[in-house]
Amino acid sequence: AEVAKWQTRSTQNAFPKGVRVRVPLSAPIMTATAATLIFDGDCGFCTSTANYIVAHSRSPINAVAWQLTDVTLYGLLEPQTADRVWLVNATGEKYSGHEAFAQLLILQKRPLLTIVGYLILVPPICWLARLGYRLTARFRHLLPGGTPACKLPR
């Protein structure tokens, strides 16, 4: 399996000023060990979170803004990716919302975050996590790094 080569570059107008994102040199490449995180590149909070997730993961993660990629390559539609975060693992399984966030936490280097990730998948915690994700997504424009562009249409 070929491993994606990475570069860090500034992207003008796609992200808030000064935000640096790790992007593949070529089109997104699924490898035997890489998962792809699809997030809202117009949201500073989402971009900061994606950068943290990629930097602190035990396994390679390709983080791509849905606005800058063809999401149909992952079996998704643009309205789906505009609505919530998605994680597509190396086998093609798709997770969205709180389940994607749980899977991302499971991949983190810090054992406590891994445990929290597993707990988010267990009832009744998953019910609260689903609500927590919906509230976070709805009010992300009010969170640190959030901008008016982060606000979801109602």
Side-chain angles (χ1 to χ4, degrees):
E2 182 181 332
V3 177
K5 294 179 182 160
W6 291 93
Q7 70 179 9
T8 301
R9 69 176 181 212
S10 294
T11 53
Q12 293 182 326
N13 302 325
F15 301 105
K17 185 177 180 182
V19 172
R20 297 179 68 77
V21 180
R22 291 179 64 192
V23 296
L25 289 170
S26 59
I29 298 171
M30 291 293 289
T31 67
T33 58
T36 301
L37 169 63
I38 303 169
F39 67 98
D40 184 354
D42 287 338
C43 174
F45 174 75
C46 301
T47 301
S48 297
T49 303
N51 285 334
Y52 179 89
I53 293 293
V54 168
H56 295 91
S57 177
R58 287 187 312 242
S59 303
I61 298 176
N62 301 327
V64 296
W66 69 264
Q67 296 92 336
L68 302 175
T69 192
D70 180 3
V71 296
T72 60
L73 295 173
Y74 302 99
L76 298 168
L77 300 174
E78 208 169 277
Q80 292 175 297
T81 56
D83 184 52
R84 60 187 57 200
V85 68
W86 284 83
L87 179 71
V88 182
N89 69 16
T91 63
E93 293 175 283
K94 296 179 208 64
Y95 303 93
S96 69
H98 76 285
E99 291 176 338
F101 192 70
Q103 294 295 330
L104 289 165
L105 289 176
I106 290 168
L107 295 174
Q108 295 305 291
K109 292 176 186 174
R110 299 177 79 188
L112 180 60
L113 293 178
T114 300
I115 291 168
V116 170
Y118 281 114
L119 289 175
I120 287 175
L121 297 173
V122 178
I125 297 170
C126 68
W127 306 329
L128 295 172
R130 182 179 296 119
L131 176 63
Y133 179 82
R134 287 182 184 161
L135 289 172
T136 301
R138 184 172 181 181
F139 296 107
R140 63 191 180 171
H141 62 285
L142 301 173
L143 296 171
T147 64
C150 299
K151 194 170 186 175
L152 291 175
R154 291 186 187 195

